[in-house]
Amino acid sequence: LLLADGKRLVVQCVPAALLEMSRAVVRAAFATVTRKAVYTFEYDRLTDLQATQRLRAKLSKAAATRAVVVCSPISVKAFVLKLVESLHQLSQSYAEKPKGVAGAIDAAGSALTKFGKGLL
């Protein structure tokens, strides 16, 4: 968790039942050593597309400020499934593009890249 360098995202993925406890332990561990923010990545398939763009900004800020992101596998799975669903909607709409889908796909792709380049 000390590997945050301002470029890569540091993510701790824990089971959903341990999410609150893990977040509290990470906060307690870094409260005495250094001031490090701890963010929680929460996502479900019912999340609207505008939230995806806010999520990209949140993950970029977390990487830049060397924060730790705590998440559950369920949230990561829901995020990837929402991206696949949005890509499917975009490919099925030949005549007109659904509003905001292209921007949300761009934001989701950027956020997923942060996960790929980060440390889990």
Side-chain angles (χ1 to χ4, degrees):
L1 298 175
L2 293 171
L3 298 173
D5 60 1
K7 296 176 187 167
R8 292 186 291 184
L9 184 66
V10 177
V11 179
Q12 183 179 13
C13 194
V14 297
L18 300 175
L19 189 65
E20 291 297 322
M21 185 203 65
S22 296
R23 188 170 57 192
V25 167
V26 170
R27 280 193 177 130
F30 286 112
T32 57
V33 180
T34 60
R35 284 285 176 190
K36 192 174 284 224
V38 178
Y39 293 108
T40 304
F41 176 79
E42 293 178 324
Y43 201 89
D44 60 29
R45 290 183 62 190
L46 300 176
T47 304
D48 64 344
L49 297 176
Q50 301 303 326
T52 305
Q53 293 172 347
R54 290 190 304 269
L55 176 66
R56 174 177 56 179
K58 183 178 178 181
L59 292 178
S60 295
K61 180 181 176 185
T65 60
R66 300 176 179 175
V68 177
V69 177
V70 181
C71 69
S72 69
I74 296 167
S75 293
V76 176
K77 178 184 172 187
F79 179 70
V80 172
L81 288 175
K82 184 68 170 187
L83 176 61
V84 170
E85 179 184 355
S86 297
L87 286 170
H88 179 70
Q89 282 180 344
L90 192 60
S91 70
Q92 294 298 315
S93 59
Y94 299 112
E96 85 179 47
K97 305 288 184 211
K99 282 190 171 186
V101 172
I105 289 173
D106 180 48
S110 176
L112 197 58
T113 302
K114 288 272 186 206
F115 270 101
K117 291 182 179 179
L119 300 168
L120 286 173

